[in-house]
Amino acid sequence: MATKKQHIAKLWALFVLCALLPFCAVGQNEIKIRATLNALANELDVSQEFVYHNNSPYSLGLIYFNDWANAYASKNTALAKRFGQEFKRSLHLAKKEERGYTTIVSTVGEDYTGLQWERTSAGDIIKVRLNKPLAPDAYTKIYITYKIQLPPNKYTPYGYDNKGNIYLKDWYLTPAVYDGKWHLYSNKNLEDLYTEITDTEIILNYPEDLFLTSNFDKVATDPPSSGKVAKLVGKDRKSAEVLLRKEDLFRTHTTPHMTFVTDLTEARYDPIEQALSKTKIANFIHENLGDYPHAKVLVSNLDYQKDPLYGINQLPAFIRPYEKQFQFEMKFLKTALNSILRETLFLNPRKEQWINSAIANYIMIAYVEKYYPDQKLLGNLSKIWGLRSFNLAKMDFNDQYSFLYNLTARQNLDQALSTPNDSLIKFNQKIANKYKAGLGLAYLADYIGDEKVAESIKTFYKYYQRNDVKQQDFKSILKRSTQKDINWFFDDYISTDKRIDYKIKKARKTEDSLRVTIKNKKGTNVPISMYGLRNDSVVSKYWFQDIALEETFTIPNQEEDRLVLNYNQKIPEFNQRDNWKSLGGFLSSNKKLKFTFFKDSENPYYNQVFYVPALNFNIYDGWAPVMRLYNKTLLERPFVFDIAPSYSFREKTLVGSAGFNYRKYLNKSGLYVSNYALGASTSHFNVNSRYTSVTPSVLFGFRPADLISNKREFLRFRWVNIFRDFDPSLQGLANDSENPDYSVFNARYTNRDNHILDYRSWSVDFQLAGNFSKLAFEYEYRKLFESNRQLNIRFFAGKFLSNNTDSDFFSFALDRPTDYLFDYGYLGRSEESGIYSQQLIIAEGGFKSFLDEQYRFSDNWLSTANVSFNLWRWIELYGDIGLVKNKGAKEKFVYDSGIRLNLVTDFFELYFPVHSNNGWEIAQPNYGERIRFIITVSPRTLTGLFTRQWF
């Protein structure tokens, strides 16, 4: 006998079905394709027939089609520009034969008369003008014949590889979506084609030595006279994915609920065990989603590589930290879920992709909780002596969701889940927003009940497998599942980038109750959980809501010895360092000091200090061992100190540095950060000659609302205090040795737009000291042309406003600045001969040749221009010109020229002078002493070279 709950469920299902009936009568779009692959030329000949139904209430005079295969055609497509933003040059530098494009041969209507067509400015969308308007509920036929030149797969996985394998994804023309307005989205390598749902039939001829696999159903056909032919059929689908490989690597695995076609495997994991894992995954997906409507699920290794399990499981195979079963199941589960949701839930993938991400990651979180509840983030590495004491080793596998979201949130780079896909920075698009979305559903489930969220997902998946599903549909189902107010989830958690941050301000114990004051530090009004612990075991749990600023709550006293907010970390909270409060008295609330080697994740129960040995070098101190003491964790934090005492074996004395920094992020755009710092360092600048600098500073940073943009502005004020001690034997040689100590106030404005195709930067620098004041302007521009030639231009102009100095120590330098502010990473800053004197710092004059002594410095004004352009790849010609004006002398025109080996711009470069005011330098003796080099050894700077594609 059916229960009341079952009756209600049936009525609810009937209601939803009835609500959907009016939408089920719309005309279906149809596509029929005949295509032939020429594998030698990597070319497809395509004849395509569209049956386009106008399901809108408006007459249409034109129709737009997605032509994403043409995104590789030039350096000006949306895809090429996206790669430029991510510092990828490959598509921009590609030769014509390395590109992919579509050539339209003919476009005709149903009466076989020609139709006008044109490309939009993006290059991968086609506009076809109809000969007569298409009325609502009517349909028309369009016939298009075209050729597709496939690109090599070095830009994206799409195209051909050097082994003859071919991958086709979003390769043929598909109708853009019209719902009162056209949604025209270009290919930006985001896997988010937005097209109308269609019934598609493809007959593909391909070479006999290739094996075909597709997400569409493969129907048997009569064998052709040569080669192979496949008929692919997809009903209610979006786009056909086709893999043509030299080896038949795909295997079919049938389970009671779905059939997998896959080449995903795990080395040294038994095939029988793999089959059991696949069945286990299929059962779990069916349990959490319901019936899959298509005949098979394509789970390819190629799809996994596009969206892998980010983290330490991407380490080389010989140090993989996870058991083979767990590793395989997580890879397979993630790839299968992505494929299933992509093939069934037809949301707007550019604007509402977060729903698919939320469902997929929520199910992955649930899978780990059910089958691997004790799995650690570091896997087997967490058991190794020396690593197991780290807090990172104690983190559960599912803790990574909050951790990786906070990686960008702590840098003020987090973005709302509702942000369009193409407006997300790469790390958010690939990782952080997907993890935040999945964690959001886990958060909601913890608040309203796991079973309610789970049933809502199944209902949504069952009744909204259609093209016009919206976020509002998902919201409606979730809201009907609970009596609690969950508007906060969509209004704050999804639609904004507001952060969640609570703290227990105080807790007072009475005989039978506890009075707890909770403070909302960010003002984001969402529920917060609080756990009561006794001897590390949970004895109570509460949810608190509507805390605008701070509220005091009274709860029963259950002999808790500690209260902890967000104990299970289901809430992606911005800062958990202040989430706990001890009930054992004042002294028990004090955090203990914990020293940890290298670096670790945050441990809220300790004041963490990290130590790591390092090694510094300059020719005066020699190799100087360092012991760094700092508090910077894997996640950025507001206040950071870094104390690095060092011992100079050459000078047999202590040297080193110390820095204290407080950074406050203000907004997402405009004035977004303020930074307050106090730095001090001491080292040797010559034999037995020491300098000590003490510099307080404040910096303000500005950026545009578009976080993908690399444009930044900075305004910095600092007061540089230098104290010097000279070796007595160097008194006659040392610059300004009679006045060893000085202070300089420095104000500098920098405007920079860092782009791999067009780099622009300019700055204004003002300095004021007791005996001089000066103003300088610098402008730098780099342009990578369509001819693959790169032009580099730099201009510098500096003028003393006042100058009462007696030496050139503070003067503008033509070829090697004295660096009296000790900003530059000189290996030998006082050297006037030898290899270290040849180190080049592009600053001030920026000349590469050492000119006559009387022109190397200016105590009045200096103006120079530095230009270079490449002859072939990283081989460039450079030239510098300038005017040098000293007091009491006429200005002097100076120049030099030569060859530049631009191996890694700003990091490793070599300069070979050819001709200058000195004459033909290449023909003069001791030429090796004239060669200049740029080298960067700072680990922080080098790390930035590799992370700039992500942040």
Side-chain angles (χ1 to χ4, degrees):
M1 184 175 179
T3 65
K4 181 178 179 181
K5 186 176 181 180
Q6 289 173 322
H7 281 302
I8 294 174
K10 289 179 180 179
L11 289 172
W12 165 238
L14 183 63
F15 168 78
V16 173
L17 183 62
C18 292
L20 292 175
L21 282 176
F23 299 98
C24 296
V26 297
Q28 184 71 298
N29 298 302
E30 298 177 17
I31 292 177
K32 293 183 179 180
I33 291 175
R34 285 188 173 272
T36 301
L37 172 65
N38 180 347
L40 293 177
N42 294 304
E43 188 177 77
L44 282 163
D45 291 305
V46 183
S47 296
Q48 186 163 344
E49 173 189 326
F50 294 97
V51 178
Y52 185 87
H53 287 259
N54 182 5
N55 295 317
S56 76
Y58 309 102
S59 293
L60 296 177
L62 52 84
I63 300 173
Y64 287 91
F65 293 96
N66 303 300
D67 182 19
W68 279 21
N70 202 62
Y72 306 83
S74 76
K75 306 172 185 183
N76 299 311
T77 63
L79 181 64
K81 293 176 180 177
R82 178 78 177 193
F83 282 163
Q85 291 174 326
E86 296 177 355
F87 297 93
K88 296 179 181 178
R89 304 174 56 165
S90 56
L91 187 56
H92 187 88
L93 298 176
K95 301 175 182 177
K96 183 177 180 180
E97 59 269 22
E98 296 177 318
R99 297 190 175 278
Y101 49 87
T102 305
T103 303
I104 306 295
V105 178
S106 66
T107 305
V108 298
E110 58 185 350
D111 56 358
Y112 297 101
T113 59
L115 298 176
Q116 294 181 350
W117 67 274
E118 63 182 85
R119 293 192 181 279
T120 64
S121 58
D124 56 3
I125 296 173
I126 291 176
K127 178 170 66 176
V128 176
R129 192 169 298 278
L130 303 177
N131 290 329
K132 61 180 181 180
L134 182 63
D137 298 325
Y139 71 90
T140 187
K141 291 185 178 181
I142 299 174
Y143 305 89
I144 302 182
T145 304
Y146 54 97
K147 289 179 178 289
I148 300 174
Q149 177 62 56
L150 299 175
N153 67 347
K154 63 182 180 180
Y155 318 117
T156 68
Y158 168 78
Y160 62 89
D161 66 16
N162 55 12
K163 297 180 181 178
N165 301 311
I166 292 174
Y167 175 56
L168 303 178
K169 176 82 162 43
D170 306 328
W171 53 286
Y172 55 87
L173 302 182
T174 57
V177 173
Y178 181 78
D179 57 5
K181 68 175 183 178
W182 288 101
H183 295 271
L184 307 178
Y185 300 147
S186 289
N187 183 359
K188 297 183 179 181
N189 193 32
L190 300 174
E191 299 284 325
D192 59 355
L193 176 71
Y194 193 30
T195 183
E196 294 281 5
I197 188 171
T198 59
D199 289 341
T200 304
E201 177 186 293
I202 300 171
I203 298 177
L204 177 63
N205 290 83
Y206 58 98
E208 201 161 331
D209 62 341
L210 295 176
F211 296 92
L212 183 146
T213 308
S214 176
N215 60 327
F216 278 21
D217 299 329
K218 189 176 179 180
V219 180
T221 59
D222 295 329
S225 57
S226 63
K228 295 179 180 177
V229 64
K231 183 177 181 181
L232 306 175
V233 176
K235 182 173 176 56
D236 295 335
R237 306 294 274 269
K238 282 202 167 185
S239 182
E241 189 174 348
V242 179
L243 294 98
L244 295 159
R245 304 187 63 87
K246 291 287 186 178
E247 297 180 78
D248 187 13
L249 300 176
F250 282 87
R251 299 291 180 265
T252 299
H253 180 81
T254 302
T255 76
H257 301 298
M258 62 189 68
T259 297
F260 295 121
V261 177
T262 181
D263 65 339
L264 200 61
T265 186
E266 185 70 31
R268 297 186 297 277
Y269 183 40
D270 184 75
I272 296 177
E273 295 294 329
Q274 289 189 39
L276 294 174
S277 289
K278 292 172 190 175
T279 301
K280 173 182 171 184
I281 289 169
N283 292 339
F284 190 80
I285 292 175
H286 181 265
E287 178 186 326
N288 284 272
L289 281 181
D291 295 331
Y292 182 66
H294 302 305
K296 62 184 179 183
V297 182
L298 179 62
V299 184
S300 68
N301 185 59
L302 191 147
D303 270 340
Y304 170 72
Q305 295 301 327
K306 288 187 290 187
D307 188 13
L309 287 166
Y310 291 99
I312 60 173
N313 50 303
Q314 289 184 288
L315 294 170
F318 66 90
I319 52 172
R320 288 285 168 85
Y322 301 122
E323 299 293 339
K324 296 298 180 183
Q325 179 178 348
F326 178 77
Q327 179 88 7
F328 174 76
E329 288 181 7
M330 295 309 294
K331 287 169 58 176
F332 199 94
L333 176 63
K334 180 173 187 177
T335 311
L337 283 170
N338 287 342
S339 181
I340 289 169
L341 294 172
R342 183 173 62 244
E343 295 286 350
T344 52
L345 286 182
F346 298 138
L347 296 137
N348 183 330
R350 186 149 293 183
K351 293 186 175 180
E352 297 179 333
Q353 180 64 29
W354 72 265
I355 296 180
N356 278 11
S357 297
I359 293 173
N361 284 286
Y362 173 77
I363 293 175
M364 290 183 67
I365 291 171
Y367 189 87
V368 173
E369 288 179 344
K370 181 174 181 179
Y371 294 111
Y372 301 97
D374 299 323
Q375 180 65 51
K376 297 300 181 183
L377 180 59
L378 294 188
N380 295 329
L381 298 179
S382 63
K383 302 174 184 178
I384 297 177
W385 181 88
L387 292 178
R388 62 192 179 202
S389 61
F390 282 77
N391 190 62
L392 189 66
K394 299 173 184 176
M395 290 174 59
D396 291 332
F397 185 83
N398 281 344
D399 290 343
Q400 67 177 308
Y401 291 91
S402 178
F403 179 79
L404 290 174
Y405 155 70
N406 269 313
L407 202 63
T408 52
R410 293 285 187 90
Q411 299 179 64
N412 200 29
L413 290 171
D414 53 318
Q415 295 169 278
L417 295 181
S418 57
T419 305
N421 227 15
D422 59 345
S423 296
L424 294 171
I425 64 171
K426 186 175 180 179
F427 191 87
N428 288 340
Q429 192 265 330
K430 288 285 188 181
I431 305 174
N433 274 36
K434 291 182 178 182
Y435 283 14
K436 183 187 176 185
L439 194 59
L441 282 185
Y443 174 17
L444 187 65
D446 195 35
Y447 179 60
I448 67 174
D450 292 337
E451 70 289 345
K452 294 180 179 179
V453 170
E455 285 302 316
S456 295
I457 290 174
K458 292 177 69 174
T459 301
F460 178 69
Y461 184 78
K462 182 176 182 179
Y463 294 108
Y464 285 93
Q465 294 177 17
R466 52 184 298 106
N467 193 46
D468 59 353
V469 58
K470 304 292 183 184
Q471 171 181 300
Q472 186 62 38
D473 302 319
F474 189 48
K475 180 179 180 180
S476 297
I477 290 176
L478 280 171
K479 290 187 71 172
R480 288 189 179 98
S481 71
T482 179
Q483 297 297 316
K484 294 183 178 180
D485 179 12
I486 61 170
N487 285 321
W488 58 267
F489 181 71
F490 291 91
D491 297 342
D492 292 302
Y493 190 89
I494 300 298
S495 301
T496 75
D497 58 7
K498 294 178 181 177
R499 292 156 192 156
I500 303 169
D501 195 6
Y502 289 88
K503 69 173 289 186
I504 300 178
K505 189 174 181 180
K506 56 185 176 182
R508 186 164 59 88
K509 183 189 296 187
T510 63
E511 186 174 338
D512 59 352
S513 64
L514 300 172
R515 288 183 57 80
V516 183
T517 301
I518 299 176
K519 182 178 180 179
N520 187 344
K521 295 167 63 179
K522 298 293 183 181
T524 308
N525 193 0
V526 298
I528 184 68
S529 61
M530 187 179 76
Y531 290 75
L533 304 183
R534 186 193 312 134
N535 298 326
D536 293 328
S537 297
V538 176
V539 296
S540 61
K541 179 184 178 182
Y542 304 92
W543 280 97
F544 301 112
Q545 203 172 352
D546 296 325
I547 305 174
L549 182 59
E550 65 177 55
E551 295 286 342
T552 299
F553 303 92
T554 301
I555 59 175
N557 184 348
Q558 300 186 45
E559 301 300 325
E560 295 95 338
D561 55 41
R562 186 165 57 185
L563 300 176
V564 185
L565 299 176
N566 189 21
Y567 180 67
N568 61 356
Q569 297 189 40
K570 287 289 181 70
I571 305 171
E573 205 177 356
F574 184 72
N575 173 25
Q576 297 184 26
R577 295 190 302 274
D578 51 11
N579 272 19
W580 68 283
K581 180 68 71 174
S582 173
L583 299 174
F586 174 75
L587 293 177
S588 64
S589 297
N590 293 333
K591 295 182 181 180
K592 297 178 181 179
L593 194 63
K594 183 178 182 181
F595 288 90
T596 306
F597 175 71
F598 191 56
K599 189 176 283 191
D600 197 1
S601 59
E602 287 182 348
N603 189 328
Y605 307 120
Y606 291 93
N607 288 313
Q608 295 167 286
V609 177
F610 306 103
Y611 63 93
V612 61
L615 200 61
N616 288 341
F617 175 79
N618 67 60
I619 63 170
Y620 313 112
D621 290 311
W623 291 106
V626 182
M627 179 55 73
R628 286 183 59 205
L629 299 170
Y630 57 98
N631 71 328
K632 186 176 182 180
T633 60
L634 293 172
L635 296 179
E636 188 173 307
R637 59 199 312 175
F639 175 72
V640 174
F641 66 81
D642 192 335
I643 302 171
S646 176
Y647 184 78
S648 169
F649 279 104
R650 184 163 291 178
E651 292 288 341
K652 294 181 173 52
T653 185
L654 287 175
V655 291
S657 64
F660 304 88
N661 192 87
Y662 178 75
R663 178 174 299 170
K664 182 173 179 60
Y665 289 109
L666 305 170
N667 302 293
K668 272 293 188 295
S669 60
L671 177 59
Y672 79 100
V673 65
S674 59
N675 197 86
Y676 309 91
L678 175 63
S681 66
T682 181
S683 184
H684 291 86
F685 62 91
N686 211 322
V687 177
N688 197 27
S689 300
R690 177 193 290 270
Y691 82 88
T692 300
S693 69
V694 179
T695 305
S697 67
V698 58
L699 177 142
F700 302 102
F702 305 82
R703 71 180 177 199
D706 178 14
L707 296 192
I708 294 180
S709 170
N710 295 310
K711 185 175 182 180
R712 298 290 186 271
E713 299 172 74
F714 299 101
L715 181 60
R716 184 184 188 190
F717 302 95
R718 59 177 177 162
W719 185 31
V720 183
N721 301 275
I722 304 296
F723 310 93
R724 294 179 295 166
D725 295 315
F726 292 87
D727 185 281
S729 65
L730 299 176
Q731 284 291 327
L733 300 176
N735 288 320
D736 206 31
S737 59
E738 295 81 9
N739 299 292
D741 303 336
Y742 54 88
S743 298
V744 180
F745 170 76
N746 179 215
R748 184 179 183 87
Y749 169 79
T750 302
N751 186 307
R752 182 177 66 243
D753 191 357
N754 189 10
H755 195 284
I756 199 167
L757 304 181
D758 291 277
Y759 173 90
R760 294 179 177 85
S761 175
W762 63 273
S763 63
V764 177
D765 188 272
F766 171 73
Q767 296 179 20
L768 176 65
N771 52 2
F772 75 88
S773 62
K774 61 199 298 191
L775 188 67
F777 172 80
E778 182 179 349
Y779 176 81
E780 188 173 0
Y781 176 70
R782 300 174 192 159
K783 172 69 175 179
L784 185 62
F785 292 97
E786 291 192 17
S787 62
N788 295 337
R789 299 288 186 192
Q790 180 164 296
L791 175 67
N792 303 273
I793 299 174
R794 178 180 175 273
F795 174 77
F796 175 82
K799 177 73 172 74
F800 275 93
L801 304 178
S802 63
N803 189 359
N804 298 317
T805 62
D806 298 324
S807 72
D808 282 323
F809 184 62
F810 298 104
S811 296
F812 294 112
L814 187 67
D815 54 58
R816 185 174 163 86
T818 57
D819 191 24
Y820 53 87
L821 297 181
F822 293 88
D823 286 335
Y824 307 134
Y826 278 123
L827 299 176
R829 63 179 59 250
S830 299
E831 296 305 288
E832 296 182 358
S833 62
I835 185 66
Y836 296 106
S837 69
Q838 296 169 236
Q839 183 183 359
L840 176 64
I841 302 291
I842 301 296
E844 299 187 7
F847 267 54
K848 289 77 187 179
S849 292
F850 296 111
L851 300 186
D852 190 276
E853 194 69 32
Q854 61 180 316
Y855 307 124
R856 293 186 64 187
F857 296 97
S858 167
D859 59 8
N860 192 342
W861 58 264
L862 173 69
S863 178
T864 62
N866 317 119
V867 180
S868 68
F869 66 92
N870 65 316
L871 296 175
W872 178 79
R873 293 190 178 179
W874 36 266
I875 300 177
E876 303 180 5
L877 293 180
Y878 74 82
D880 306 315
I881 59 173
L883 290 172
V884 181
K885 177 69 169 70
N886 280 291
K887 292 185 292 186
K890 288 189 63 176
E891 61 270 13
K892 172 68 176 179
F893 175 75
V894 290
Y895 70 93
D896 70 4
S897 61
I899 296 173
R900 174 192 188 191
L901 301 187
N902 187 6
L903 302 174
V904 183
T905 302
D906 297 333
F907 292 87
F908 184 48
E909 306 175 21
L910 294 173
Y911 291 83
F912 298 86
V914 174
H915 194 269
S916 69
N917 291 81
N918 297 329
W920 289 99
E921 299 199 37
I922 198 169
Q924 296 178 13
N926 301 319
Y927 180 72
E929 298 177 2
R930 302 172 184 270
I931 298 172
R932 306 293 297 276
F933 65 89
I934 290 175
I935 187 168
T936 298
V937 295
S938 166
R940 183 177 300 177
T941 306
L942 291 172
T943 301
L945 178 66
F946 299 102
T947 59
R948 61 184 181 175
Q949 294 185 9
W950 289 87
F951 298 98

